[in-house]
Amino acid sequence: MRTLVLGGTWFLGREVVRGALRRGWDVTTFNRGRSAPDMPGATPVHGDRTSPDDLRRLARSGPWDAVIDTSSSDLPPRDVLLSTQALRDQAARWVHISTVSVYEGWPHDPLTEDSPRLECPPDADETYGYTGADGSPTEYGFQKAGGERAVSDVFNSRAVFLRPGVILGPGEYVGRLPWWLSRAQRGGRILAPAPAERRIQPVDVRDVADFALDQAAASTTGAYNVAHPEGITFEGFVRACLEVTGGAGRPVWTPASHLIEHNVRQWTELPLWRTHEGVWAVDSARAVAAGLRCRPVRDTISDTWAWLRADGRPVAHPRWAKHGISPEKEEKILASGADPE
């Protein structure tokens, strides 16, 4: 099977390439060649996917049975459209990595693939959309909805959309799980968001990659929410971080009202914490029926720690610096007399 991976050098893209090579596929990657080394065994084509000339040069390397797009997260819809138009006749199928942020109701409402999506034209530029006062909807969500439109308008029934929530695992560049692991290793009293029993649904990068490859080889169409069907409680998540790091920490489960009173930024200062009811209510039954298999979140935590201990170095990304509460702010909140739940 001949496959083109847009991206292919870090995190999800790298796992997609690794998995495709393991299956014996013929893999071409297309990226700028700046972020990380090319995967041995793949055929690299270097170029900028916002350049029509580079895309025409890439198209001459085809045809492919499938394109797997792992690199459109920072692109406006018009650049996704440019790629799909350039490769329309060189690819039989397009697997597009999107996001649950395309839904109107995220993170407030429970979601299925039939939930309403944000509206954005397929040729929109990077200025389209807005972020609501409470952080939803997001400009990012509008942009990704437009990216889906760009793919759908060109590839129609030959397109598949994967909509993950939070992806964790070895190679993570965002910094969510690495921050919790680092905090657990440091020990002491750990500010933790109550309720401890709330379930979260992060999915392992390797499981997303496997599902993307399965869809590249399948004949199905449409969209799939990619979230962990069982998930893990927040208490189980923090405890697992303590166990794998050997940290002698004690979580202090603090009510959301107290965290908000002290201006703790949701989603970033305590990564994975958000009060909205729908943030971890993503129905992935359709993906599970189509073959999505998710390893236990504890395995993701353990493997990520092993990667970090082996001098794991994520690709430099500005989002890393946004995650994690400062020790000074954490200690101030802990000393303020919060009543743990």
Side-chain angles (χ1 to χ4, degrees):
M1 175 144 172
R2 296 202 74 216
T3 307
L4 169 63
V5 179
L6 301 181
T9 59
W10 47 292
F11 201 40
L12 178 57
R14 197 168 186 83
E15 289 298 334
V16 167
V17 174
R18 182 180 285 118
L21 293 172
R22 192 181 301 123
R23 297 182 187 208
W25 294 4
D26 182 336
V27 182
T28 302
T29 58
F30 181 68
N31 54 68
R32 294 176 298 177
R34 299 176 186 173
S35 298
D38 294 304
M39 280 286 290
T43 301
V45 178
H46 290 159
D48 190 329
R49 60 182 292 181
T50 67
S51 165
D53 289 341
D54 287 356
L55 288 169
R56 281 191 288 269
R57 179 168 51 84
L58 170 64
R60 290 196 289 269
S61 298
W64 296 278
D65 298 301
V67 173
I68 303 177
D69 186 357
T70 69
S71 70
S72 67
S73 62
D74 296 323
L75 292 178
R78 66 179 181 186
D79 289 333
V80 178
L81 183 63
L82 190 66
S83 301
T84 58
Q85 290 172 334
L87 300 172
R88 180 201 311 260
D89 298 326
Q90 296 299 319
R93 188 168 177 80
W94 189 286
V95 179
H96 193 72
I97 309 300
S98 185
T99 168
V100 294
S101 295
V102 301
Y103 291 111
E104 285 183 7
W106 193 86
H108 299 280
D109 304 323
L111 298 174
T112 73
E113 290 84 353
D114 298 322
S115 299
R117 285 173 288 150
L118 298 169
E119 292 293 334
C120 179
D123 57 351
D125 65 16
E126 63 277 2
T127 66
Y128 192 92
Y130 63 92
T131 297
D134 69 343
S136 65
T138 62
E139 182 178 308
Y140 173 76
F142 281 104
Q143 293 278 310
K144 295 312 106 190
E148 286 196 11
R149 279 280 310 277
V151 174
S152 181
D153 283 2
V154 175
F155 275 80
N156 301 302
S157 62
R158 296 184 290 148
V160 179
F161 302 96
L162 307 190
R163 297 173 182 151
V166 170
I167 304 176
L168 303 178
E172 185 197 337
Y173 64 91
V174 175
R176 295 181 176 113
L177 178 51
W179 184 84
W180 276 109
L181 288 165
S182 174
R183 181 64 192 87
Q185 184 188 38
R186 183 155 56 89
R189 294 200 305 161
I190 299 173
L191 187 66
E197 66 274 13
R198 187 176 191 186
R199 300 196 77 82
I200 60 177
Q201 297 177 279
V203 63
D204 192 288
V205 62
R206 296 161 292 184
D207 298 332
V208 180
D210 283 343
F211 187 59
L213 292 167
D214 289 345
Q215 290 306 305
S219 58
T220 51
T221 189
Y224 297 96
N225 293 333
V226 184
H228 204 295
E230 288 89 31
I232 190 172
T233 64
F234 222 117
E235 181 176 24
F237 176 84
V238 175
R239 292 292 181 192
C241 289
L242 287 165
E243 290 169 8
V244 303
T245 62
R250 179 175 69 84
V252 179
W253 296 100
T254 305
S257 58
H258 197 78
L259 297 175
I260 293 169
E261 179 184 342
H262 285 267
N263 299 312
V264 177
R265 292 193 306 273
Q266 298 190 41
W267 210 232
T268 53
E269 284 195 298
L270 289 180
L272 306 180
W273 168 64
R274 200 164 184 171
T275 56
H276 304 80
E277 288 301 318
V279 66
W280 299 115
V282 180
D283 185 353
S284 59
R286 184 181 294 179
V288 170
L292 173 67
R293 297 293 178 266
C294 293
R295 70 198 68 201
V297 178
R298 286 177 176 270
D299 291 354
T300 302
I301 294 169
S302 177
D303 292 349
T304 302
W305 179 241
W307 165 70
L308 290 168
R309 293 262 298 183
D311 199 26
R313 296 180 181 272
V315 171
H317 198 281
R319 292 179 69 184
W320 186 282
K322 296 179 181 180
H323 288 85
I325 191 169
S326 71
E328 296 78 16
K329 184 172 180 177
E330 180 185 26
E331 183 55 38
K332 181 179 179 180
I333 297 171
L334 288 169
S336 68
D339 292 323
E341 286 191 349

